[in-house]
Amino acid sequence: MPALADLVRPYAGITLTDSKTLFPDAQGTGLPLIRIDTDLCQAVVAPQGAQLLSFTKADGTPLLWLSPQCQFEPGKALRGGVPVCLPWFGPHPDEHKPQHGFARTSDWALTQVAQADNGRCELWFELEHPGDERFTQPFTAALRMVLGQTIELELSLTNHDSHTADFTWALHSYLPVQTLSDVRVPVLAGRDYLDNLQNHARLRQSGPLTFTGEVDRVFPDVESEVTLEPTPRLRLSHENCPSLVTWNPGAEKAAAMDDMGEGNEQGFVCLERGAVLDEGWTLAPGETRRGKVAISAV
């Protein structure tokens, strides 16, 4: 596998750097990062977790939020951007296994880089899991990032086991907001959801979703595009991602989180596309399945 530096070297606007350089005040021993700086966008990507950490359009509009207290430590989840939650989403029945799986804290291999004439950059990452005590079935996950005036993320999973394998997953996007109390998601009005704060009780959303306190809900079977309003007005579209997870920890939990901190919950909401709970994927031996998410300003 070519070294990171060798893969990015031929492309103007794509450079290998590290967290100590880009975030000198951040906690942690540091991680390698990839910086994208083109006529269309500025972005930062961590090979750990194949995680897009930040993305700002050329006109200055941010499409992602990164915690000012993000801790750049090998093996530690990075708070913000778009973590890849896989091969399970949420807590595992075995309390000794990590929340949201291990993909977001694993080193992914950068396998390919490309830059189109229109300025869009593409990065391909791959994670090969041989099967172990964390997750017995061997699988390969691949993530394709397309960064231009919008964000496109395509996740593919391949089951290498001789038996079926069950996956739940999400692209855990942190979206920036100016005033949390004003935020609403109109398309969710009248939809049923499963409340993670009430043991997955099925309830109905009354009016547009708002974030006036802690919110942790799964909206199943959401096929439509989802728009976050009012400012910045952001839109998520998807292919083959039936679940929509909505999350904000609220003031009390945020203050107790060492990688978030008091008051920082006011700067974001999470709208996460994926396949969770009963909408998870069951892959036959040798089967590959893909899901795609796009984030844009509208």
Side-chain angles (χ1 to χ4, degrees), residues 9-87:
R9 187 177 293 114
Y11 301 98
I14 307 177
T15 56
L16 182 63
T17 181
D18 57 70
S19 59
K20 293 293 186 182
T21 300
L22 295 186
F23 306 100
D25 296 327
Q27 298 181 48
T29 58
L31 290 172
L33 301 174
I34 300 167
R35 183 173 183 175
I36 292 93
D37 191 349
T38 70
D39 291 341
L40 300 180
C41 68
Q42 292 183 332
V44 177
V45 180
Q48 177 176 288
Q51 186 165 336
L52 179 59
L53 291 175
S54 66
F55 180 98
T56 303
K57 292 179 59 179
D59 66 4
T61 302
L63 301 192
L64 296 175
W65 177 88
L66 179 65
S67 173
Q69 296 183 200
C70 182
Q71 299 175 10
F72 294 91
E73 185 72 31
K76 183 175 178 61
L78 302 174
R79 179 71 63 188
V82 190
V84 181
C85 301
L86 175 77

Side-chain angles (χ1 to χ4, degrees), residues 102-120:
F102 50 81
R104 64 178 181 163
T105 55
S106 297
D107 289 328
W108 293 52
L110 179 66
T111 60
Q112 188 176 349
V113 178
Q115 195 166 27
D117 291 341
N118 62 10
R120 299 204 315 172

Side-chain angles (χ1 to χ4, degrees), residues 4 44 70 128 133 136 164 173 221 255:
L4 276 173
V44 177
C70 182
E128 292 189 12
E133 69 281 355
T136 57
T164 60
S173 47
D221 193 28

Side-chain angles (χ1 to χ4, degrees), residues 182-262:
D182 291 342
V183 169
R184 59 188 184 275
V185 187
V187 75
L188 298 179
R191 286 186 174 271
D192 285 354
Y193 65 89
L194 306 174
D195 196 329
N196 288 328
L197 303 179
Q198 300 184 54
N199 295 315
H200 298 157
R202 181 174 286 270
L203 303 171
R204 178 154 295 183
Q205 178 64 41
S206 177
L209 177 66
T210 58
F211 295 82
T212 56
E214 183 180 2
V215 172
D216 192 353
R217 301 175 182 179
V218 177
F219 289 81
D221 193 28
V222 178
E223 288 300 321
S224 59
E225 294 181 334
V226 178
T227 302
L228 181 70
E229 299 179 351
T231 305
R233 193 166 184 260
L234 303 178
R235 177 172 294 163
L236 273 73
S237 57
H238 81 101
E239 296 176 13
N240 203 24
C241 305
S243 309
L244 175 69
V245 182
T246 61
W247 181 71
N248 183 281
E252 184 176 352
K253 282 191 176 179
M257 298 166 67
D258 59 2
D259 59 355
M260 183 172 294
E262 183 176 358

Side-chain angles (χ1 to χ4, degrees), residues 135 137-138 159 161 163-167 281-285:
F135 192 80
Q137 292 94 338
N159 175 21
D161 201 8
H163 300 87
T164 60
D166 295 326
F167 299 88
W281 289 354
T282 297
L283 301 187

